[in-house]
Amino acid sequence: NDETLDTKWEKLETLFTALYVLEVMLKVTINGWKKYKESARNLFDFFVTCMTILASFYVYYPNTYNNTDLIRFIVMARVLRLVRLLFAIESFRLLGAITLDILPASRDIFLVLLFVAYFFATSGQLLYGGYITRDPSNPLSHALLEATDFTSSAYWPNNFNDMFSGMNVLFNLLVVNNWTTCIQGFEYTTGSKTVRFFFLFFHLICVTGISNVITSVVITSFFQQLEVIEHRYGPNERVDGTSIRGSRAFFAANVLTGTNTGVQGKYSAHIQAVNFDVDIDERAVMRRVFGRSNTPDSK
């Protein structure tokens, strides 16, 4: 490394690094470190800036490493800040909130898919492990060269030589990505077309079966949760002295449901489903909990 900036791109990267450092310094000076670190966005910017500085020193300090791609990749991480623009759009915020709510409810069906994929990947290792190879001393590599579609597409990583590669094959099958080309490699190396039954069974079970179930569950849960969220973020309301804002209730503890408790202070309550029930209506639960009709005297 000659410690010089050889190209205009390196000079541009150094300029951006200096601007990032200046940005952090100004924010910390104006807001103070305590307030600055309260923002997750600021912490992300601070982390990326520190990593960029360290990478710059490592690249430009005299040593055997002189590849500036390291700085470029770290600087590119700041592009993630553009994700904040999505949250400024109401429809994207709603989509993100619904997605976070329905993922726990879809957990079990995803676990079933993972179990089936693991079973097929393990079976594939036992049946076809080592068949896809580029070792010239292995006769199977010569047989594989006859599978022109397979070799011309550079599908060498699609094999069952290990668990990770097997999962890669099954993911391609799950998204129906040129699975006929993938099968061709196994047909030529095994010398039999019976391998098609293995891929066909996986297609029927996971693609036709489980994948469609996941799709229907996600779509159904999405529209159910859409109604809940639209209701959750409706206008604020008061129920017997309790203010319900969104999915939270704010109340004074001295009087609850018309009963003097003797407790002082203001509190907030939040309802969370134990079994990840996406159909729960938090506001309706809040009304029942804090409404006077829920007291023993009214029953």
Side-chain angles (χ1 to χ4, degrees), residues 19-266:
L19 292 176
Y20 296 156
V21 173
L22 179 62
E23 178 192 20
V24 171
M25 293 177 61
L26 290 176
K27 283 186 175 181
V28 173
T29 302
I30 295 174
N31 299 323
W33 173 250
K34 183 177 180 180
K35 185 176 181 180
Y36 177 84
K37 69 178 182 179
E38 292 178 354
S39 172
R41 300 172 184 175
N42 289 338
L43 291 178
F44 174 78
D45 293 341
F46 181 80
F47 173 76
V48 173
T49 302
C50 290
M51 292 298 296
T52 305
I53 295 173
L54 293 175
S56 300
F57 277 112
Y58 182 67
V59 170
Y60 294 121
Y61 188 80
N63 55 63
T64 57
Y65 187 86
N66 60 0
N67 190 345
T68 59
D69 288 342
L70 177 62
I71 302 176
R72 191 172 295 113
F73 287 136
I74 295 177
V75 172
M76 286 172 58
R78 292 181 67 91
V79 178
L80 295 175
R81 296 179 63 183
L82 296 177
V83 176
R84 291 187 291 183
L85 296 177
L86 297 180
F87 292 100
I89 304 174
E90 183 179 357
S91 57
F92 280 103
R93 290 202 308 268
L94 185 62
L95 179 62
I98 294 176
T99 301
L100 292 177
D101 283 341
I102 67 177
L103 279 179
S106 307
R107 178 188 58 181
D108 293 340
I109 191 66
F110 277 110
L111 288 177
V112 172
L113 178 61
L114 178 62
F115 169 78
V116 175
Y118 180 83
F119 172 80
F120 274 90
T122 305
S123 302
Q125 284 182 268
L126 296 176
L127 296 173
Y128 310 113
Y131 277 83
I132 304 298
T133 177
R134 303 181 69 175
D135 184 4
S137 62
N138 192 326
L140 292 176
S141 64
H142 301 287
L144 190 58
L145 291 176
E146 299 179 12
T148 55
D149 291 341
F150 185 93
T151 55
S152 61
S153 300
Y155 270 24
W156 308 101
N158 292 331
N159 58 70
F160 286 102
N161 298 342
D162 53 72
M163 178 59 67
F164 184 81
S165 298
M167 284 293 187
N168 176 58
V169 174
L170 298 179
F171 179 78
N172 290 333
L173 297 179
L174 190 62
V175 298
V176 198
N177 179 29
N178 292 341
W179 67 290
T180 53
T181 303
C182 184
I183 291 177
Q184 187 187 63
F186 290 95
E187 288 181 356
Y188 277 84
T189 52
T190 59
S192 173
K193 293 185 179 182
T194 56
V195 66
R196 295 181 179 182
F197 289 104
F198 178 86
F199 289 87
L200 178 62
F201 288 148
F202 180 83
H203 183 88
L204 292 175
I205 295 175
C206 290
V207 180
T208 307
I210 299 178
S211 181
N212 285 328
V213 171
I214 291 178
T215 302
S216 62
V217 168
V218 169
I219 292 176
T220 302
S221 300
F222 181 90
F223 284 105
Q224 289 176 344
Q225 194 65 9
L226 177 61
E227 296 180 1
V228 173
I229 287 185
E230 288 178 344
H231 182 68
R232 177 191 301 170
Y233 295 104
N236 298 340
E237 56 181 299
R238 295 190 65 83
V239 177
D240 294 333
T242 298
S243 176
I244 300 179
R245 308 172 196 168
S247 59
R248 289 184 176 274
F250 299 86
F251 58 93
N254 58 327
V255 178
L256 289 177
T257 63
T259 304
N260 292 322
T261 63
V263 180
Q264 300 298 322
K266 295 183 178 180

